[in-house]
Amino acid sequence: MKFLCQVWFDTAEISNISEEDGKRLTADSIVNDDRLRASGHLLEAQALRAPSTAMTVSVRDDKMSVTDGPFAEIKEHLGGFVLIEARDMEEAICIAATFPVARYGRIEVRPAYSIKEEC
């Protein structure tokens, strides 16, 4: 089964980590990603730039609208995502608990599926 692990950060909190802690977090994350990739669990992992770099697109009545920034102003922001392969939710949770970023944020683990499977 595939699971999407969304990495959520408290925007104010993550902005205040030291440069040294940020570098250590990156290094630890690379090591963990490599380990999970080698075990066949990691399918994809990507960090996201700051919410201020986002653009929000919508289409209504065939007209496109684009606005600066994230869709909603919230206390937390999506900082990245990891797509993993696991036997079940229990294993997916155990894998997510190994993510170094869990020390600074929260990991939302959600089963993923192909929409073709639903047809």
Side-chain angles (χ1 to χ4, degrees), residues 11-13 16 26 36 43 50 64 66-67 89-90 95 99 115:
T11 303
E13 220 176 282
N16 289 326
T26 298
L36 291 172
L43 302 175
M64 181 180 67
V66 180
T67 56
M89 180 61 87
E90 185 176 333
I95 291 168
F99 299 171
I115 58 173

Side-chain angles (χ1 to χ4, degrees), residues 8-10 13-14 17 21-22 25 100-106:
W8 289 91
F9 293 115
D10 179 299
E13 220 176 282
I14 198 67
I17 70 168
D21 285 345
L25 175 60
V101 295
R103 297 189 305 249
Y104 294 93
R106 292 179 176 81

Side-chain angles (χ1 to χ4, degrees), residues 22-37:
K23 287 179 180 180
R24 184 173 31 254
L25 175 60
T26 298
D28 291 349
S29 295
I30 290 168
V31 168
N32 195 58
D33 286 358
D34 289 347
R35 182 184 63 76
L36 291 172
R37 192 173 288 107

Side-chain angles (χ1 to χ4, degrees), residues 33-64:
D33 286 358
D34 289 347
R35 182 184 63 76
L36 291 172
R37 192 173 288 107
S39 71
H41 290 101
L42 179 65
L43 302 175
E44 183 66 46
Q46 294 287 314
L48 297 173
R49 300 275 181 213
S52 60
T53 66
M55 300 293 282
T56 299
V57 178
S58 62
V59 177
R60 301 293 184 272
D61 297 320
D62 294 326
K63 292 184 178 125
M64 181 180 67

